[in-house]
mmCIF file of all heavy atoms in Angstrom:
data_model
loop_
_atom_site.group_PDB
_atom_site.id
_atom_site.type_symbol
_atom_site.label_atom_id
_atom_site.label_comp_id
_atom_site.label_asym_id
_atom_site.label_seq_id
_atom_site.Cartn_x
_atom_site.Cartn_y
_atom_site.Cartn_z
ATOM 1 N N ILE A 48 -32.300 -27.068 23.652
ATOM 2 C CA ILE A 48 -33.444 -27.616 22.916
ATOM 3 C C ILE A 48 -34.852 -26.951 23.309
ATOM 4 O O ILE A 48 -35.739 -27.058 22.657
ATOM 5 C CB ILE A 48 -33.608 -29.139 23.127
ATOM 6 C CG1 ILE A 48 -34.489 -29.729 22.080
ATOM 7 C CG2 ILE A 48 -34.107 -29.427 24.531
ATOM 8 C CD1 ILE A 48 -34.449 -31.329 22.055
ATOM 9 N N LEU A 49 -34.630 -26.151 24.459
ATOM 10 C CA LEU A 49 -35.887 -25.463 24.979
ATOM 11 C C LEU A 49 -36.453 -24.535 23.838
ATOM 12 O O LEU A 49 -35.611 -23.874 23.107
ATOM 13 C CB LEU A 49 -35.564 -24.616 26.122
ATOM 14 C CG LEU A 49 -35.140 -25.444 27.330
ATOM 15 C CD1 LEU A 49 -34.729 -24.511 28.520
ATOM 16 C CD2 LEU A 49 -36.246 -26.298 27.881
ATOM 17 N N GLY A 50 -37.731 -24.470 23.623
ATOM 18 C CA GLY A 50 -38.389 -23.630 22.760
ATOM 19 C C GLY A 50 -39.296 -24.214 21.859
ATOM 20 O O GLY A 50 -39.648 -25.333 22.080
ATOM 21 N N HIS A 51 -39.589 -23.549 20.780
ATOM 22 C CA HIS A 51 -40.664 -23.968 19.916
ATOM 23 C C HIS A 51 -39.989 -24.471 18.487
ATOM 24 O O HIS A 51 -39.213 -23.639 17.910
ATOM 25 C CB HIS A 51 -41.623 -22.782 19.607
ATOM 26 C CG HIS A 51 -42.777 -23.156 18.857
ATOM 27 N ND1 HIS A 51 -44.047 -23.444 19.453
ATOM 28 C CD2 HIS A 51 -43.043 -23.285 17.409
ATOM 29 C CE1 HIS A 51 -45.000 -23.776 18.475
ATOM 30 N NE2 HIS A 51 -44.373 -23.647 17.301
ATOM 31 N N TRP A 52 -40.309 -25.512 17.914
ATOM 32 C CA TRP A 52 -39.662 -26.128 16.827
ATOM 33 C C TRP A 52 -40.828 -26.580 15.931
ATOM 34 O O TRP A 52 -41.852 -27.199 16.425
ATOM 35 C CB TRP A 52 -38.813 -27.394 17.218
ATOM 36 C CG TRP A 52 -37.613 -27.122 18.068
ATOM 37 C CD1 TRP A 52 -37.601 -27.102 19.500
ATOM 38 C CD2 TRP A 52 -36.375 -26.607 17.734
ATOM 39 N NE1 TRP A 52 -36.494 -26.683 19.941
ATOM 40 C CE2 TRP A 52 -35.655 -26.526 18.896
ATOM 41 C CE3 TRP A 52 -35.781 -26.363 16.480
ATOM 42 C CZ2 TRP A 52 -34.323 -26.077 18.903
ATOM 43 C CZ3 TRP A 52 -34.492 -25.975 16.439
ATOM 44 C CH2 TRP A 52 -33.693 -25.772 17.656
ATOM 45 N N ALA A 53 -40.601 -26.258 14.574
ATOM 46 C CA ALA A 53 -41.552 -26.625 13.586
ATOM 47 C C ALA A 53 -40.940 -27.732 12.621
ATOM 48 O O ALA A 53 -39.728 -27.556 12.219
ATOM 49 C CB ALA A 53 -42.069 -25.470 12.901
ATOM 50 N N LEU A 54 -41.712 -28.702 12.218
ATOM 51 C CA LEU A 54 -41.224 -29.716 11.367
ATOM 52 C C LEU A 54 -41.066 -29.177 9.923
ATOM 53 O O LEU A 54 -41.836 -28.522 9.249
ATOM 54 C CB LEU A 54 -42.234 -30.902 11.365
ATOM 55 C CG LEU A 54 -41.783 -32.059 10.440
ATOM 56 C CD1 LEU A 54 -40.581 -32.747 11.184
ATOM 57 C CD2 LEU A 54 -43.002 -33.013 10.247
ATOM 58 N N ASP A 55 -39.842 -29.508 9.339
ATOM 59 C CA ASP A 55 -39.641 -29.163 7.904
ATOM 60 C C ASP A 55 -39.849 -30.430 7.106
ATOM 61 O O ASP A 55 -40.535 -30.339 6.113
ATOM 62 C CB ASP A 55 -38.087 -28.867 7.693
ATOM 63 C CG ASP A 55 -37.688 -27.501 8.308
ATOM 64 O OD1 ASP A 55 -38.616 -26.609 8.231
ATOM 65 O OD2 ASP A 55 -36.639 -27.374 8.825
ATOM 66 N N SER A 56 -39.375 -31.601 7.555
ATOM 67 C CA SER A 56 -39.619 -32.823 6.948
ATOM 68 C C SER A 56 -39.300 -34.051 7.834
ATOM 69 O O SER A 56 -38.636 -33.820 8.924
ATOM 70 C CB SER A 56 -38.736 -32.897 5.698
ATOM 71 O OG SER A 56 -37.344 -33.029 6.012
ATOM 72 N N ALA A 57 -39.823 -35.192 7.546
ATOM 73 C CA ALA A 57 -39.642 -36.360 8.230
ATOM 74 C C ALA A 57 -39.225 -37.583 7.258
ATOM 75 O O ALA A 57 -40.080 -37.684 6.227
ATOM 76 C CB ALA A 57 -40.780 -36.746 9.166
ATOM 77 N N MET A 58 -38.228 -38.155 7.557
ATOM 78 C CA MET A 58 -37.896 -39.261 6.505
ATOM 79 C C MET A 58 -37.685 -40.605 7.519
ATOM 80 O O MET A 58 -37.304 -40.585 8.491
ATOM 81 C CB MET A 58 -36.480 -39.111 6.012
ATOM 82 C CG MET A 58 -36.379 -37.833 5.195
ATOM 83 S SD MET A 58 -37.451 -37.839 3.720
ATOM 84 C CE MET A 58 -36.815 -39.163 2.730
ATOM 85 N N GLN A 59 -38.146 -41.692 6.892
ATOM 86 C CA GLN A 59 -38.028 -43.008 7.456
ATOM 87 C C GLN A 59 -37.172 -43.835 6.644
ATOM 88 O O GLN A 59 -37.644 -44.065 5.463
ATOM 89 C CB GLN A 59 -39.364 -43.500 7.697
ATOM 90 C CG GLN A 59 -39.328 -44.786 8.767
ATOM 91 C CD GLN A 59 -40.740 -45.152 9.158
ATOM 92 O OE1 GLN A 59 -41.493 -45.538 8.450
ATOM 93 N NE2 GLN A 59 -41.000 -44.955 10.370
ATOM 94 N N ASN A 60 -36.228 -44.568 7.241
ATOM 95 C CA ASN A 60 -35.404 -45.523 6.506
ATOM 96 C C ASN A 60 -35.972 -46.950 6.882
ATOM 97 O O ASN A 60 -35.883 -47.301 7.932
ATOM 98 C CB ASN A 60 -33.979 -45.359 6.864
ATOM 99 C CG ASN A 60 -33.028 -46.255 6.043
ATOM 100 O OD1 ASN A 60 -33.204 -47.488 6.177
ATOM 101 N ND2 ASN A 60 -32.085 -45.751 5.355
ATOM 102 N N VAL A 61 -36.368 -47.595 5.855
ATOM 103 C CA VAL A 61 -37.044 -48.938 5.986
ATOM 104 C C VAL A 61 -36.253 -49.906 5.142
ATOM 105 O O VAL A 61 -36.411 -49.921 3.939
ATOM 106 C CB VAL A 61 -38.511 -48.868 5.689
ATOM 107 C CG1 VAL A 61 -39.141 -50.345 5.858
ATOM 108 C CG2 VAL A 61 -39.321 -47.815 6.396
ATOM 109 N N GLY A 62 -35.354 -50.696 5.719
ATOM 110 C CA GLY A 62 -34.618 -51.619 5.074
ATOM 111 C C GLY A 62 -33.659 -51.071 4.026
ATOM 112 O O GLY A 62 -33.652 -51.489 2.888
ATOM 113 N N GLY A 63 -33.143 -49.862 4.195
ATOM 114 C CA GLY A 63 -32.326 -49.225 3.269
ATOM 115 C C GLY A 63 -32.987 -48.332 2.292
ATOM 116 O O GLY A 63 -32.405 -47.525 1.521
ATOM 117 N N ASN A 64 -34.307 -48.269 2.435
ATOM 118 C CA ASN A 64 -35.062 -47.359 1.589
ATOM 119 C C ASN A 64 -35.579 -46.158 2.318
ATOM 120 O O ASN A 64 -36.214 -46.318 3.410
ATOM 121 C CB ASN A 64 -36.341 -48.053 0.912
ATOM 122 C CG ASN A 64 -36.011 -49.269 0.038
ATOM 123 O OD1 ASN A 64 -35.106 -49.085 -0.810
ATOM 124 N ND2 ASN A 64 -36.556 -50.361 0.254
ATOM 125 N N ASN A 65 -35.247 -44.981 1.823
ATOM 126 C CA ASN A 65 -35.761 -43.719 2.388
ATOM 127 C C ASN A 65 -37.071 -43.357 1.965
ATOM 128 O O ASN A 65 -37.288 -43.235 0.739
ATOM 129 C CB ASN A 65 -34.803 -42.651 2.147
ATOM 130 C CG ASN A 65 -33.513 -42.659 3.038
ATOM 131 O OD1 ASN A 65 -33.699 -43.179 4.192
ATOM 132 N ND2 ASN A 65 -32.417 -42.287 2.475
ATOM 133 N N ILE A 66 -38.063 -43.130 2.876
ATOM 134 C CA ILE A 66 -39.354 -42.856 2.608
ATOM 135 C C ILE A 66 -39.783 -41.504 3.267
ATOM 136 O O ILE A 66 -39.517 -41.288 4.417
ATOM 137 C CB ILE A 66 -40.394 -43.900 3.116
ATOM 138 C CG1 ILE A 66 -40.043 -45.207 2.453
ATOM 139 C CG2 ILE A 66 -41.799 -43.494 2.746
ATOM 140 C CD1 ILE A 66 -40.723 -46.434 3.114
ATOM 141 N N ASP A 67 -40.290 -40.595 2.570
ATOM 142 C CA ASP A 67 -40.707 -39.281 3.069
ATOM 143 C C ASP A 67 -42.099 -39.539 3.856
ATOM 144 O O ASP A 67 -43.043 -39.904 3.291
ATOM 145 C CB ASP A 67 -41.000 -38.287 1.883
ATOM 146 C CG ASP A 67 -41.331 -36.888 2.506
ATOM 147 O OD1 ASP A 67 -41.543 -36.698 3.696
ATOM 148 O OD2 ASP A 67 -41.181 -35.844 1.653
ATOM 149 N N VAL A 68 -42.063 -39.369 5.176
ATOM 150 C CA VAL A 68 -43.153 -39.515 5.947
ATOM 151 C C VAL A 68 -43.699 -38.142 6.613
ATOM 152 O O VAL A 68 -44.450 -38.150 7.571
ATOM 153 C CB VAL A 68 -42.952 -40.530 7.064
ATOM 154 C CG1 VAL A 68 -42.763 -41.949 6.564
ATOM 155 C CG2 VAL A 68 -41.869 -40.134 7.933
ATOM 156 N N THR A 69 -43.266 -37.055 5.850
ATOM 157 C CA THR A 69 -43.765 -35.859 6.437
ATOM 158 C C THR A 69 -45.326 -35.694 6.554
ATOM 159 O O THR A 69 -45.948 -35.179 7.470
ATOM 160 C CB THR A 69 -43.162 -34.613 5.578
ATOM 161 O OG1 THR A 69 -41.770 -34.827 5.433
ATOM 162 C CG2 THR A 69 -43.574 -33.299 6.058
ATOM 163 N N ALA A 70 -45.941 -36.196 5.585
ATOM 164 C CA ALA A 70 -47.514 -36.175 5.474
ATOM 165 C C ALA A 70 -48.105 -36.868 6.793
ATOM 166 O O ALA A 70 -49.126 -36.473 7.258
ATOM 167 C CB ALA A 70 -48.022 -36.753 4.220
ATOM 168 N N PHE A 71 -47.472 -37.910 7.161
ATOM 169 C CA PHE A 71 -47.918 -38.679 8.457
ATOM 170 C C PHE A 71 -48.090 -37.707 9.710
ATOM 171 O O PHE A 71 -48.945 -37.789 10.463
ATOM 172 C CB PHE A 71 -46.945 -39.788 8.836
ATOM 173 C CG PHE A 71 -47.350 -40.528 9.949
ATOM 174 C CD1 PHE A 71 -48.449 -41.386 10.068
ATOM 175 C CD2 PHE A 71 -46.575 -40.379 11.095
ATOM 176 C CE1 PHE A 71 -48.694 -42.032 11.296
ATOM 177 C CE2 PHE A 71 -46.846 -40.965 12.294
ATOM 178 C CZ PHE A 71 -47.964 -41.867 12.376
ATOM 179 N N TYR A 72 -46.970 -36.882 9.789
ATOM 180 C CA TYR A 72 -46.888 -35.935 10.804
ATOM 181 C C TYR A 72 -47.832 -34.713 10.597
ATOM 182 O O TYR A 72 -48.214 -34.000 11.479
ATOM 183 C CB TYR A 72 -45.370 -35.415 11.208
ATOM 184 C CG TYR A 72 -44.629 -36.551 11.735
ATOM 185 C CD1 TYR A 72 -43.920 -37.431 10.997
ATOM 186 C CD2 TYR A 72 -44.541 -36.659 13.029
ATOM 187 C CE1 TYR A 72 -43.136 -38.451 11.517
ATOM 188 C CE2 TYR A 72 -43.863 -37.620 13.662
ATOM 189 C CZ TYR A 72 -43.086 -38.577 12.975
ATOM 190 O OH TYR A 72 -42.344 -39.567 13.475
ATOM 191 N N GLY A 73 -47.849 -34.286 9.398
ATOM 192 C CA GLY A 73 -48.687 -33.244 8.959
ATOM 193 C C GLY A 73 -47.796 -32.022 8.727
ATOM 194 O O GLY A 73 -46.810 -31.760 9.380
ATOM 195 N N ASN A 74 -48.247 -31.063 7.927
ATOM 196 C CA ASN A 74 -47.459 -29.892 7.595
ATOM 197 C C ASN A 74 -47.238 -28.844 8.712
ATOM 198 O O ASN A 74 -46.418 -28.120 8.735
ATOM 199 C CB ASN A 74 -48.061 -29.064 6.406
ATOM 200 C CG ASN A 74 -48.084 -29.933 5.067
ATOM 201 O OD1 ASN A 74 -47.180 -30.756 5.001
ATOM 202 N ND2 ASN A 74 -49.064 -29.767 4.298
ATOM 203 N N ASN A 75 -48.101 -29.019 9.704
ATOM 204 C CA ASN A 75 -48.044 -27.994 10.894
ATOM 205 C C ASN A 75 -47.564 -28.726 12.098
ATOM 206 O O ASN A 75 -47.857 -28.109 13.214
ATOM 207 C CB ASN A 75 -49.364 -27.348 11.212
ATOM 208 C CG ASN A 75 -49.887 -26.594 9.938
ATOM 209 O OD1 ASN A 75 -48.960 -25.786 9.357
ATOM 210 N ND2 ASN A 75 -51.136 -26.626 9.609
ATOM 211 N N PHE A 76 -46.842 -29.799 12.120
ATOM 212 C CA PHE A 76 -46.345 -30.460 13.257
ATOM 213 C C PHE A 76 -45.394 -29.663 13.915
ATOM 214 O O PHE A 76 -44.370 -29.067 13.322
ATOM 215 C CB PHE A 76 -45.808 -31.746 12.843
ATOM 216 C CG PHE A 76 -45.362 -32.449 14.040
ATOM 217 C CD1 PHE A 76 -46.200 -33.234 14.899
ATOM 218 C CD2 PHE A 76 -44.015 -32.732 14.361
ATOM 219 C CE1 PHE A 76 -45.836 -34.033 16.026
ATOM 220 C CE2 PHE A 76 -43.555 -33.488 15.567
ATOM 221 C CZ PHE A 76 -44.394 -34.047 16.350
ATOM 222 N N GLN A 77 -45.546 -29.392 15.226
ATOM 223 C CA GLN A 77 -44.738 -28.572 16.027
ATOM 224 C C GLN A 77 -44.360 -29.186 17.440
ATOM 225 O O GLN A 77 -45.198 -30.026 18.094
ATOM 226 C CB GLN A 77 -45.242 -27.231 16.355
ATOM 227 C CG GLN A 77 -45.618 -26.568 15.054
ATOM 228 C CD GLN A 77 -46.586 -25.434 15.223
ATOM 229 O OE1 GLN A 77 -46.638 -24.893 16.377
ATOM 230 N NE2 GLN A 77 -47.357 -24.976 14.218
ATOM 231 N N LEU A 78 -43.130 -28.911 18.008
ATOM 232 C CA LEU A 78 -42.862 -29.297 19.355
ATOM 233 C C LEU A 78 -42.447 -28.132 20.176
ATOM 234 O O LEU A 78 -41.809 -27.318 19.685
ATOM 235 C CB LEU A 78 -41.737 -30.336 19.338
ATOM 236 C CG LEU A 78 -41.889 -31.633 18.581
ATOM 237 C CD1 LEU A 78 -40.562 -32.414 18.464
ATOM 238 C CD2 LEU A 78 -42.910 -32.522 19.354
ATOM 239 N N THR A 79 -42.996 -28.071 21.352
ATOM 240 C CA THR A 79 -42.523 -27.074 22.302
ATOM 241 C C THR A 79 -41.896 -27.606 23.563
ATOM 242 O O THR A 79 -42.743 -28.287 24.296
ATOM 243 C CB THR A 79 -43.669 -26.109 22.693
ATOM 244 O OG1 THR A 79 -44.244 -25.575 21.463
ATOM 245 C CG2 THR A 79 -43.183 -24.951 23.492
ATOM 246 N N PHE A 80 -40.719 -27.530 23.833
ATOM 247 C CA PHE A 80 -39.948 -28.000 24.944
ATOM 248 C C PHE A 80 -39.948 -26.904 26.006
ATOM 249 O O PHE A 80 -39.298 -25.795 25.709
ATOM 250 C CB PHE A 80 -38.605 -28.440 24.593
ATOM 251 C CG PHE A 80 -38.358 -29.582 23.629
ATOM 252 C CD1 PHE A 80 -38.427 -29.442 22.204
ATOM 253 C CD2 PHE A 80 -38.275 -30.835 24.092
ATOM 254 C CE1 PHE A 80 -38.254 -30.466 21.381
ATOM 255 C CE2 PHE A 80 -38.253 -31.969 23.322
ATOM 256 C CZ PHE A 80 -38.199 -31.746 21.917
ATOM 257 N N GLU A 81 -40.565 -27.146 27.116
ATOM 258 C CA GLU A 81 -40.521 -26.134 28.297
ATOM 259 C C GLU A 81 -39.555 -26.575 29.236
ATOM 260 O O GLU A 81 -39.244 -27.695 29.422
ATOM 261 C CB GLU A 81 -42.027 -26.133 28.757
ATOM 262 C CG GLU A 81 -42.871 -25.453 27.678
ATOM 263 C CD GLU A 81 -44.378 -25.349 28.167
ATOM 264 O OE1 GLU A 81 -44.694 -25.676 29.283
ATOM 265 O OE2 GLU A 81 -45.161 -24.787 27.369
ATOM 266 N N GLU A 82 -39.141 -25.538 30.019
ATOM 267 C CA GLU A 82 -38.127 -25.718 31.060
ATOM 268 C C GLU A 82 -38.573 -26.673 32.211
ATOM 269 O O GLU A 82 -37.651 -27.380 32.842
ATOM 270 C CB GLU A 82 -37.669 -24.362 31.569
ATOM 271 C CG GLU A 82 -36.317 -24.434 32.347
ATOM 272 C CD GLU A 82 -35.892 -23.033 32.592
ATOM 273 O OE1 GLU A 82 -36.469 -22.054 32.084
ATOM 274 O OE2 GLU A 82 -34.903 -23.010 33.381
ATOM 275 N N ASP A 83 -39.944 -26.616 32.444
ATOM 276 C CA ASP A 83 -40.321 -27.538 33.495
ATOM 277 C C ASP A 83 -40.480 -28.935 33.165
ATOM 278 O O ASP A 83 -41.026 -29.713 33.996
ATOM 279 C CB ASP A 83 -41.682 -26.957 34.153
ATOM 280 C CG ASP A 83 -42.864 -27.044 33.107
ATOM 281 O OD1 ASP A 83 -42.690 -27.479 31.921
ATOM 282 O OD2 ASP A 83 -43.932 -26.778 33.573
ATOM 283 N N GLY A 84 -40.087 -29.392 32.105
ATOM 284 C CA GLY A 84 -40.187 -30.791 31.523
ATOM 285 C C GLY A 84 -41.446 -31.060 30.741
ATOM 286 O O GLY A 84 -41.749 -32.252 30.325
ATOM 287 N N THR A 85 -42.265 -29.937 30.498
ATOM 288 C CA THR A 85 -43.431 -30.255 29.604
ATOM 289 C C THR A 85 -43.092 -30.174 28.195
ATOM 290 O O THR A 85 -42.305 -29.342 27.852
ATOM 291 C CB THR A 85 -44.548 -29.185 29.986
ATOM 292 O OG1 THR A 85 -44.835 -29.212 31.391
ATOM 293 C CG2 THR A 85 -45.824 -29.272 29.235
#
Side-chain angles (χ1 to χ4, degrees):
I48 199 169
L49 294 177
H51 189 96
W52 299 91
L54 182 69
D55 291 324
S56 65
M58 298 298 290
Q59 191 169 66
N60 186 301
V61 180
N64 296 315
N65 284 323
I66 301 167
D67 187 347
V68 293
T69 307
F71 173 78
Y72 289 91
N74 292 331
N75 295 316
F76 182 75
Q77 302 164 25
L78 298 173
T79 303
F80 294 90
E81 296 180 355
E82 197 168 352
D83 67 354
T85 301

